Amino acid sequence: MTPIAEYQGVDEARFRSEIEPLARPAVLRGLVRHWPAVAQACQSPAAFCRYLGTFDNGQPVDAILLPPREKGRIFYNEAMDGFNFARNRVPLSAIVDQLSRYAHFDEPPSVAVQSTPIPDCLPGFVAQNPLPLLDPSVVPRLWMGNRVIVPAHFDESQNVACVVAGRRRFTLFPPEQIGNLYIGPLDHAPTGTPISMVDLAAPDLERHPRFAQALAAAQVAELEPGDALFIPTLWWHHVASLDRRLNVLVNYWWKGSLGAVDSTASVFGSLLHAMLHVRSLPPELRRAWQAVFVHYVFDADPAEHIPAPHRGLLGPLTPERAEQLRQRLIATLQR
């Protein structure tokens, strides 16, 4: 697999002008090495947990627990009617206690706090550990546990993931590899977004032969404490926490900086709408509508031949025109 491109000494200006516009993954070495949290984690897991405890307000957080037989891989149960882990809401201090106990097990259960907004449970942490690359309105989220593996999935947002404690291996696949990743159900996924059904640690190429093509296009990086990774929107990413005792990551999701009008809208809804109305059409009609979609959605300028004052909904997508499109869509759905 190809190593992900690496950058040193990245500041906000360089990130905005040189890295983000490429829409390609990028390792940002040492981006948050100056964080006090990273310094404590490099000292020892116990030192980091003591540091975290100075901010903990006791607010319950979402956590999952996997039995040892799952080897940390978040996935479905055997019947695929549920998942292979149990959910719970407990204070962070309870997770810290679990991790401390499990550190003495030869084959411990896997426990993880996932996607917890840091200001809700650790007030004061962000002030001491800021990320100047992004607007302060972007809310950081906490991921903490022992060895956990998240199958390849995508986000609708841009993502900067900062390793604080332990090591993480990221394996990324370009968006166009979706057909080679054998994606599971859209409406029933253990991670909240669809996942690859292939076990990256032991891929069954007889059952999933096209996955070999995905591997050929994959990019990989291992991150140490203080390193960060930029994951562009819709890049599939498989994430493996490598350290046995403690792995901590802080990530930032945001939208809109590459020109989108509405930074909160979900394009996934458009996919569902198209599935509802297009997928069941006869093949010849699907091909016809495919040409229409390509022309109006993916071509550079479908209205270049129309005088600018008369382009209507095909004009530049200003907030006002976006609202006009939205209202037409609402009226269509209501009918």
Side-chain angles (χ1 to χ4, degrees), residues 23-216:
R24 304 283 297 177
V27 174
L28 313 176
R29 289 290 181 196
L31 181 70
V32 296
R33 195 170 293 148
H34 62 284
W35 279 6
V38 172
Q40 293 296 322
C42 290
Q43 183 176 331
S44 71
F48 173 82
C49 290
R50 286 194 298 270
Y51 176 76
L52 207 67
T54 64
F55 304 102
D56 187 1
N57 63 3
Q59 178 76 24
V61 299
D62 291 323
I64 62 171
L65 181 69
L66 293 86
R69 66 176 179 273
E70 301 297 339
K71 301 186 184 303
R73 183 185 180 221
I74 297 173
F75 202 63
Y76 296 93
N77 60 18
E78 290 187 5
M80 275 195 68
D81 58 0
F83 307 128
N84 65 349
F85 54 83
R87 294 188 187 274
N88 203 356
R89 280 187 62 81
V90 294
L92 273 176
S93 58
I95 301 298
V96 170
D97 289 343
Q98 278 185 293
L99 291 171
S100 178
R101 292 198 307 274
Y102 293 161
H104 301 288
F105 291 18
D106 291 332
E107 296 185 9
S110 295
V111 61
V113 173
Q114 293 194 296
S115 190
T116 295
I118 289 178
D120 292 352
C121 59
L122 300 171
F125 180 93
V126 177
Q128 289 194 18
N129 302 274
L131 186 69
L133 251 57
L134 304 176
D135 189 278
S137 64
V138 179
V139 177
R141 293 174 175 268
L142 178 70
W143 308 72
M144 182 172 75
N146 48 12
R147 284 184 178 171
V148 173
I149 298 171
V150 183
H153 63 287
F154 72 86
D155 300 317
E156 284 194 77
S157 303
Q158 309 274 57
N159 187 2
V160 168
C162 306
V163 173
V164 177
R167 296 175 298 121
R168 267 177 164 80
R169 180 185 298 117
F170 289 83
T171 306
L172 273 58
F173 304 89
E176 59 268 22
Q177 288 299 318
I178 182 172
N180 298 326
L181 291 173
Y182 297 88
I183 305 305
L186 297 183
D187 54 345
H188 177 60
T191 61
T193 59
I195 66 167
S196 171
M197 301 291 289
V198 183
D199 183 355
L200 184 62
D204 184 346
L205 295 182
E206 290 188 2
R207 186 177 182 184
H208 306 120
R210 294 192 310 275
F211 187 67
Q213 299 176 49
L215 283 176

